[in-house]
Amino acid sequence: MGVKSIYILNKAGGLIFQRDFGDSLSKLDSNDYLVIAGTLHSVHAITTRISPVAGSSGLTVMETPSFSLHIFQSQTGIKFMILTDRQQYGIDSIASRIHHLYSDYVMKNPFYTLEMPIRCEKFDRYLGAYISTVA
Amino acid sequence: MADRTPIVHSSTVPGGVTQLRSASSQASLVESARKGAIYERSLQRKRGEVSESVMALVICEAVQYLQKQAKGIADLEDRLNRLGYHMGQRVLELITLREGKSAKRETKVLGILQFIHTMVWRTLFGRPADALERSTEDTNQYMIIDNDPLITRFISVPKDMAQLNCAAFAAGIIEAVLDASLFTAKVTAHTMGTPQTPDKTVYLVQFESLR
C-alpha cells in the first residue's frame, strides 16, 4: 500500500519536482528522471489527440502488474504524476491534496520562479508529512 | 439580427466606448455601495477577517517587488521593515479608535509590549503572540515570540539567503507601534526554529534607553 513516487511536470514537460517515498524503488540517474518525464509528457499529449472523443483529458491511469501510474493535470497545465502500488485507492483525493500543497507552499512562496525546479523546504516537509499519513 | 456584441452596446448606450465605460463604472459604484465597499463600513467593526490565501499572495508579491529593488539580503529586510512600519502606524491608530473610551496611552515599557503582544497581534493575526520575554543579558532588550507567524507560513527561504526572515515585515509593525507611542526602539526578526515549531520567530526589541 502507498504512494511510491511523485513527479511534477511544468507546462513544457520539464521535470520540476521528483521524490521517491520508501526505499522499494531503485534509484535512477538524474538524467533518466528527466527522460521519463519528457516521455510521459509526450505520451500524454498524444493520447489527447488520438482520443475518439473531442476534448479528452488524455492519459490518466496506467496500470502494470507491479504498480499504477496516475496522471492529474491542473487547470494551468501542471502535471502531477503519482506512482502507487496497485492496491492504493482514493487517488483523486491524494492528487488534489498534493495540488493543494503545491499551490500553498510553492505558488505562495516569493522565492519560487514559475516553471523552474521546486526547491521549497516547506513543500518538501508538508508533502512528506502528508504522504506518510497515506501509507 | 445584426445586433451582436459591439452593436448591441452602441444601440443601448449611445455615444460608444466612453459612455459605456462611465456607465459601467457607475454601475460598479452603485453595486459596491449596496454591498458596502470597504470605505463604507464602520471602522468600529471588530471582526474583519480576510482570506489567508489572498493575504499570502499579497505578501508574496510584496516580497518579490521589494526583492527586485533590494541590493542585498539586509537591504531587503530593511525594506520589508519599512513597509511594515507604514502599516504599524495605522494599526495603532485603528486599535486605539476601536477601544474607544477604554483606550489609554501606554507609558510603561511593559504596558506597551503587553499591548503589542495581545492587542496588536490579535487584531492582525487573530491570536496573541506566544511569549514575551526580557533578555537576561541586556535590560533594554525584549523578545516577542511567535511560534507560527502567519506572514511566513507559506514562505520557504532558499539556502543562499538563510539569514533572511520575511517576518521583518511584522518587526516593522512592532517598531512603528513603539515609535508612535514614543518608545524609540529597533526591532528585528530572527528565525529560531525548533523541531516542533520550525517557523518560530523571535522579534528582538532593542530600546534606545528606558525611561
Side-chain angles (χ1 to χ4, degrees):
Chain A
M1 282 283 284
V3 175
K4 290 181 185 298
S5 185
I6 293 174
Y7 291 65
I8 303 179
L9 274 64
N10 66 13
K11 281 196 273 287
L15 185 67
I16 54 171
F17 182 86
Q18 195 280 330
R19 186 166 159 193
D20 291 340
F21 298 91
D23 25 58
S24 57
L25 294 180
S26 52
K27 269 275 164 219
L28 297 178
D29 192 43
S30 61
N31 222 10
D32 292 342
Y33 286 113
L34 294 174
V35 173
I36 293 177
T39 311
L40 284 170
H41 177 79
S42 316
V43 170
H44 185 271
I46 293 167
T47 52
T48 57
R49 298 292 174 83
I50 59 172
S51 162
V53 205
S56 161
S57 64
L59 182 66
T60 54
V61 190
M62 185 175 86
E63 288 197 354
T64 75
S66 54
F67 72 93
S68 304
L69 171 79
H70 301 266
I71 301 181
F72 168 76
Q73 189 172 24
S74 79
Q75 291 289 313
T76 49
I78 306 286
K79 268 192 278 295
F80 297 86
M81 294 186 178
I82 307 167
L83 251 79
T84 65
D85 52 27
R86 296 201 51 186
Q87 292 85 38
Q88 184 62 46
Y89 54 89
I91 299 296
D92 284 355
S93 71
I94 294 174
S96 79
R97 182 75 197 156
I98 294 170
H99 185 206
H100 187 157
L101 289 171
Y102 168 81
S103 50
D104 269 356
Y105 296 102
V106 179
M107 298 315 287
K108 288 172 193 160
N109 182 4
F111 302 104
Y112 174 69
T113 323
L114 272 182
E115 311 281 309
M116 295 307 277
I118 299 172
R119 281 194 202 90
C120 303
E121 184 203 335
K122 285 189 185 170
F123 179 67
D124 270 351
R125 189 195 308 153
Y126 288 100
L127 184 68
Y130 170 64
I131 296 301
S132 63
T133 64
V134 173
Chain B
M1 294 303 279
D3 355 342
R4 280 289 119 190
T5 337
I7 306 149
V8 165
H9 287 307
S10 58
S11 67
T12 48
V13 185
V17 185
T18 42
Q19 272 287 328
L20 198 74
R21 197 175 291 150
S22 71
S24 72
S25 78
Q26 258 175 18
S28 72
L29 268 180
V30 170
E31 196 174 308
S32 58
R34 184 167 51 79
K35 276 189 194 158
I38 192 155
Y39 297 116
E40 310 289 324
R41 287 186 214 148
S42 165
L43 278 175
Q44 301 290 347
R45 235 169 60 108
K46 300 224 167 164
R47 284 241 157 239
E49 292 195 347
V50 295
S51 154
E52 188 185 354
S53 294
V54 172
M55 193 213 67
L57 287 166
V58 170
I59 289 173
C60 174
E61 280 304 314
V63 173
Q64 282 182 336
Y65 172 75
L66 294 175
Q67 201 186 3
K68 269 183 210 144
Q69 304 173 337
K71 289 179 192 73
I73 297 167
D75 190 32
L76 175 59
E77 256 185 358
D78 199 42
R79 282 168 194 271
L80 276 165
N81 189 295
R82 269 180 277 158
L83 187 68
Y85 197 94
H86 290 286
M87 207 174 133
Q89 290 171 314
R90 288 158 178 80
V91 164
L92 177 65
E93 192 79 47
L94 181 68
I95 296 173
T96 323
L97 176 87
R98 281 184 183 164
E99 281 191 337
K101 280 182 184 151
S102 62
K104 62 166 185 163
R105 185 169 83 80
E106 298 289 349
T107 53
K108 292 196 174 63
V109 168
L110 268 184
I112 188 74
L113 287 172
Q114 198 68 44
F115 172 81
I116 292 170
H117 171 271
T118 46
M119 284 309 291
V120 173
W121 238 247
R122 195 172 286 153
T123 311
L124 294 173
F125 308 121
R127 61 178 174 84
D130 293 291
L132 174 61
E133 288 171 14
R134 184 179 199 168
S135 168
T136 46
E137 294 142 32
D138 186 347
T139 48
N140 283 2
Q141 213 173 55
Y142 289 82
M143 287 168 281
I144 297 173
I145 297 164
D146 195 333
N147 287 337
D148 181 22
L150 196 60
I151 289 176
T152 59
R153 182 163 293 169
F154 301 115
I155 299 179
S156 318
V157 177
K159 286 207 170 62
D160 55 320
M161 303 173 86
Q163 65 268 54
L164 173 74
N165 188 332
C166 292
F169 179 67
I173 296 176
I174 300 173
E175 196 171 319
V177 172
L178 287 169
D179 276 4
S181 314
L182 301 180
F183 293 94
T184 322
K186 186 91 195 101
V187 186
T188 47
H190 304 273
T191 316
M192 302 266 175
T194 62
Q196 289 83 34
T197 52
D199 276 355
K200 183 176 170 186
T201 296
V202 175
Y203 300 98
L204 200 66
V205 182
Q206 176 76 53
F207 287 103
E208 271 182 0
S209 63
L210 288 177
R211 287 143 212 267

